[in-house]
Amino acid sequence: MSKKIAGPEIERLIQLLARLPGLGPRSARKAALALLKRREDLLVPLSEALATAVRTIVMCPVCGSLDTVSPCTICRDERRDREVIVVVEEMADLWALERAAVVNGTYHVLGGHLSPLDGIGPERLNIAGLLDRAASGPVKEIILALNATVEGQSTAHYLTEQLAPTGVIVSRLAQGVPIGGELDYLDEGTLAAAIKARKRI
Ligand code: ZN
């Protein structure tokens, strides 16, 4: 066991920061030190923002996204096409699609992807809610906007099977050459997907 070098309050701060994605113990120590050094312009505002988030941000019971109102702003929006649900793994993916302003449907946030090795089965994701939405209401198409990773694609495969009995159209994002991409830089998997998903002009 490593020797404790700081008081329990600072150790606790470091341990909590180390749980954040992308931060190991070393980065967590640096982050904690930066927070403690910059008390007025960083530590105090951050602690207030965290307290506000705890108090006000809730998970939407319909789509699983995070917002200060329940159901969320998107689920309440009358201008959204309720016949289309775009399924994403995480909130960050929803934000990316909203920034691109390419979706006028509603969303469904799974909260991750299936990963049997990490013990993440269907019951750990927001899948039951999606099946309920698909089986009832006006839904006609479900777009699986999942990551083009092994886990993302196996999650898409699982969802496609689960959604089949509902009769709803299930589609997924195209895979292939990114906008502005040069063929010479692409890996074989991307090139193969692009050839397979080719379109007649
Ligand atoms: Zn919602």
Side-chain angles (χ1 to χ4, degrees):
M1 210 176 117
S2 62
K3 193 164 172 276
K4 297 275 182 286
I5 46 165
E9 293 80 7
I10 296 177
E11 280 294 341
R12 171 112 178 110
L13 180 61
I14 294 170
Q15 279 170 11
L16 289 171
L17 287 168
R19 288 197 208 164
L20 293 171
L23 285 193
R26 190 182 148 81
S27 317
R29 279 196 294 275
K30 283 172 86 173
L33 194 58
L35 285 166
L36 295 170
K37 272 186 182 166
R38 296 174 57 186
R39 185 184 173 85
E40 292 310 317
D41 73 325
L42 200 55
L43 182 61
V44 172
L46 180 67
S47 75
E48 286 168 1
L50 288 171
T52 305
V54 169
R55 213 172 47 243
T56 60
I57 297 177
V58 287
M59 185 182 278
C60 175
V62 180
C63 72
S65 78
L66 301 171
D67 204 338
T68 51
V69 287
S70 175
C72 72
T73 312
I74 293 174
C75 284
R76 282 164 182 247
D77 189 343
E78 296 288 327
R79 293 161 299 180
R80 294 272 175 166
D81 182 356
R82 280 156 209 287
E83 294 185 347
V84 177
I85 297 177
V86 181
V87 180
V88 292
E89 292 182 25
E90 300 285 0
M91 274 305 288
D93 306 324
L94 185 160
W95 288 331
L97 287 165
E98 283 294 289
R99 278 199 303 275
V102 285
V103 170
N104 188 41
T106 58
Y107 290 94
H108 198 85
V109 183
L110 295 177
H113 50 239
L114 293 175
S115 180
L117 289 179
D118 300 315
I120 300 175
E123 70 290 342
R124 294 271 299 273
L125 302 176
N126 185 17
I127 289 178
L130 177 65
L131 300 179
D132 282 349
R133 288 178 77 189
S136 58
V139 182
K140 290 203 176 129
E141 181 180 6
I142 291 182
I143 303 173
L144 302 176
L146 305 181
N147 290 334
T149 55
V150 174
E151 293 87 355
Q153 293 312 297
S154 66
T155 307
H157 186 74
Y158 176 82
L159 291 177
T160 306
E161 281 182 351
Q162 295 294 307
L163 288 164
T166 65
V168 171
I169 297 167
V170 181
S171 56
R172 65 169 176 80
L173 300 186
Q175 293 180 329
V177 184
I179 304 292
E182 295 177 40
L183 294 198
D184 195 21
Y185 286 92
L186 299 182
D187 63 277
E188 290 82 5
T190 306
L191 274 175
I195 290 283
K196 212 169 145 198
R198 69 188 180 278
K199 275 200 282 193
R200 187 173 174 166
I201 299 171

